Every structure is written in C-alpha cells, then in structure tokens.
C-alpha cells in the first residue's frame, strides 16, 4: 500500500484528493500537512501535523495542491527530506520553478499544471496545429471560478508553451496578456493568453487558430474537479517508484 501525504488538504482540490484516496486501490492517506488546523476529520491513524518533517517522514509520496509560497516551503523541506512529489500548484515564480528543478535532482517530481488526460492530449494537438497552421494567429482564452488567485492559469501558459514550441518561438518573447487602447494591429508572431474569472467555472481552455477565411478552436472544459484529484492520485501511483528526475503528465499517461 502506497502511503500518500497531502499538502493543501483544506483546499478545493486537496479535500477531493482525501475523499478519492478512499476509493482508490493501492494507495491510502497517511499524513496531512496543515498551517493551522484541518477543517474536517480524518481517520485517527492519519498524521495531521504542522511539522513538515514529521509530515514528510510519515508518507511514501506527497501530492501538493496549495499556493506558490506553500509549495516553495514544501520544496525546501524536501531538499532535506527527499520524497517523490506530485505537484499541481500553479502560479509558481521563476525562482520557485528553479527550486523545483533543483529538487528533482534528488527525488522524482511530477509537475503538471493540469492533471487531466484531456488537457495532456490538447497540448499535443496544439503543438501540431501551431506547426501545421503557420499563417494562423494563435489566441488562448481561459475561464475559471472567481476564487482562483493566479492568472493566467498554469494550463493556459503550458498551452501557450506548446503553441510556441510548434512555432519555434519563445513564449516569453511573444506573449500578450491584455489589449486596451489604441495599440495598433496585431503582430504576426504574438500569442495572446487571456483570463476570465467568474462564478464556479471549474476550468475551460480554448486555443484558437485564426486565419482569413477560416478558423479552428480547440476547447477543453473540466466539468468536475475530481478530474484533477483522480489524475493526481493516478500520477502518484505511477511516480512512486521512479528514478530521480522531473516528469510530466504526458510521461505518466504515455501520450
Ligand atoms: N494541476 C492541476 O490539475 C490543478 C491545479 N490547481 C492548482 O492547485 C492550487 C490549489 O487550488 P485550490 O485547491 O483551488 O486552492 P485553495 O485555495 O482551495 O487551497 C489552497 C490550499 O493551500 C493551503 N495553503 C495556503 N497557503 C499555505 C501555506 N503557506 N502553507 C501551507 N498550506 C497553505 C491552504 O490551506 P489553509 O486552508 O489551511 O490555509 C489550502 O488548503 C492552485 O495553484 C490551483 O491553480 C487546481 C486545480 C487543478
Ligand atoms: O485553480 C484552478 O481551479 C485550476 N487551476 C489549474 C490551472 O491554473 O491551470 C488547472 C485547472 O484549470 C483548475
């Protein structure tokens, strides 16, 4: 039985991971890290702790859905106490991403801005379309619930990277994150990544390829957050016995 530690357990996704672990074969909840208290009860055998060392020492693998600062704390602690990590937290800074890469030299880490099978496939399709439709303008729009803190979503940025890779350009150099005022015509290479927020939208991503006379839009809509929690548990079962290194969700899903 794989002992799973959950980091971010009070959160929207964290709570679902704890529920879904009960229904998943070969895995069980062993520890939970909390800043203060856990907002609900778990089996008395589970270690619920504010002590990150105790939390790490009480599990075989960690699943993290928290916030960038919290994820940084986890990565720093894991440098001292290495554990396989499945990280779903988005909005990581360049420094935090570097820390993640550095940590993956000591332990296996799977980092995915979206744990769904559909988005993993969408990234492949976007890469292909961007390469094949070289004259088409690429625009990405994401929609999420009003509580989401980071923008644009990690998924939208990853889709932007897939598109940029297909075009052989660097997303950081071509990304547009808003348009307002008399800004002039769209340049050929730019890739816009725009964010909308409202209500309880779980997650919707559209990558559009627009040309004169025709356009294609590739869309993925998550209708349940369990898509992410179940995807993360599947990733944990896959990652737990891997060599040190940085893995993607495509590695896990073999697509
Ligand atoms: N990769 C993917 O497939 C997906 C990724 N996400 C990402 O996962 C993350 C979490 O999303 P969501 O569950 O909606 O967010 P929530 O805001 O609901 O949950 C965040 C969690 O992080 C914890 N937390 C915040 N700060 C700290 C800290 N300093 N130390 C320890 N724990 C902390 C909170 O604990 P407490 O309540 O105790 O403060 C809470 O449990 C986001 O980055 C989101 O974008 C979301 C869905 C899918
Ligand atoms: O915060 C969310 O809710 C989500 N975050 C992820 C992201 O930023 O891409 C994945 C998903 O779309 C839901």
């Amino acid at each position: 039985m794989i002992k799973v530690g959950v980091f971010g357990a009070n959160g929207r996704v964290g709570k679902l991971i704890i529920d879904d672990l009960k229904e998943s074969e070969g895995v069980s909840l062993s520890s939970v890290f909390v800043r203060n208290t856990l907002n609900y009860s778990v089996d008395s055998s589970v270690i619920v702790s504010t002590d990150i060392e105790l939390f790490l020492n009480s599990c075989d693998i960690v699943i993290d859905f928290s916030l960038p600062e919290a994820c940084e704390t986890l990565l720093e602690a894991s440098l001292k106490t290495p554990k396989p990590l499945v990280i779903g937290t988005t909005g990581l800074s360049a420094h935090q991403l570097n820390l993640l890469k550095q940590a993956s030299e000591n332990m296996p880490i799977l980092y995915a801005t979206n744990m769904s099978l559909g988005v993993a496939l969408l990234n492949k399709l976007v890469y292909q379309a961007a390469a094949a439709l070289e004259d088409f303008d690429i625009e990405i729009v994401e929609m999420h619930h009003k509580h989401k803190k980071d923008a644009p979503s990690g998924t939208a940025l990853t889709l932007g990277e897939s598109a940029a890779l297909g075009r052989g350009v660097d997303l950081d150099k071509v990304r547009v994150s808003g348009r307002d005022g008399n800004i002039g015509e769209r340049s050929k290479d730019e890739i816009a990544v725009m964010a909308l927020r409202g209500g309880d939208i779980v997650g919707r991503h559209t990558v559009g390829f627009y040309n004169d006379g025709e356009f294609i839009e590739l869309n993925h809509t998550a209708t349940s957050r369990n898509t992410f929690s179940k995807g993360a548990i599947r990733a944990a079962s896959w990652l737990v016995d891997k060599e040190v290194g940085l893995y993607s969700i495509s590695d896990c899903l073999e697509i």
Side-chain angles (χ1 to χ4, degrees):
M1 188 65 80
I2 301 164
K3 294 190 291 171
V4 178
V6 175
F7 195 88
N10 280 327
R12 278 173 287 273
V13 182
K15 275 186 203 151
L16 294 178
I17 290 171
I18 288 180
D19 279 347
D20 289 339
L21 279 168
K22 293 179 199 146
E23 317 293 322
S24 309
E25 275 182 27
V27 285
S28 67
L29 179 67
S30 63
S31 62
V32 169
F33 176 79
V34 281
R35 279 195 289 180
N36 301 305
T37 51
L38 189 62
N39 296 341
Y40 51 95
S41 57
V42 287
D43 194 276
S44 58
S45 63
V46 175
I47 307 284
V48 178
S49 180
T50 55
D51 177 346
I52 200 157
E53 292 296 316
L54 175 62
F55 163 73
L56 287 170
N57 281 318
S58 307
C59 63
D60 299 323
I61 185 159
V62 174
I63 301 181
D64 160 56
F65 281 78
S66 59
L67 288 180
E69 317 82 80
C71 179
E72 183 172 339
T73 308
L74 171 66
L75 289 167
E76 276 164 357
S78 69
L79 288 174
K80 264 200 348 201
T81 311
K83 282 287 155 177
L85 305 176
V86 172
I87 296 187
T89 301
T90 58
L92 300 185
S93 65
H95 165 71
Q96 288 156 348
L97 285 170
N98 276 335
L99 189 60
L100 191 150
K101 279 182 198 136
Q102 188 194 331
S104 72
E105 289 165 17
N106 294 327
M107 66 205 91
I109 299 184
L110 186 148
Y111 178 53
T113 55
N114 197 302
M115 297 286 172
S116 79
L117 173 60
V119 166
L121 178 66
L122 182 60
N123 272 292
K124 304 286 169 194
L125 297 175
V126 165
Y127 169 79
Q128 278 185 4
L133 306 173
E134 56 183 25
D135 291 331
F136 287 54
D137 300 326
I138 305 174
E139 301 270 330
I140 300 173
V141 180
E142 58 97 334
M143 297 169 72
H144 283 88
H145 53 97
K146 63 188 167 202
H147 304 291
K148 184 164 176 61
K149 298 199 173 82
D150 56 313
S153 68
T155 306
L157 290 171
T158 305
L159 289 165
E161 279 161 12
S162 299
L165 202 63
R167 283 283 161 89
V169 296
D170 178 354
L171 183 65
D172 288 340
K173 297 208 172 104
V174 297
R175 179 157 75 92
V176 170
S177 52
R179 294 188 181 104
D180 190 7
N182 190 16
I183 57 165
E185 289 188 7
R186 187 188 194 282
S187 68
K188 183 178 178 306
D189 280 344
E190 66 194 56
I191 297 177
V193 186
M194 307 290 195
L196 277 68
R197 293 286 174 271
D200 62 356
I201 303 168
V202 174
R204 183 173 175 86
H205 293 89
T206 305
V207 185
F209 298 86
Y210 305 93
N211 202 0
D212 298 340
E214 60 175 329
F215 65 82
I216 294 180
E217 287 178 338
L218 301 175
N219 171 259
H220 176 271
T221 304
T223 52
S224 162
R225 224 167 247 120
N226 291 96
T227 306
F228 309 130
S229 52
K230 289 189 170 140
I233 294 170
R234 176 180 52 203
S237 302
W238 177 85
L239 186 73
V240 72
D241 58 1
K242 295 290 174 288
E243 301 289 317
V244 298
L246 185 56
Y247 298 90
S248 70
I249 194 74
S250 309
D251 296 325
C252 162
L253 298 171
E254 294 184 9
I255 60 165

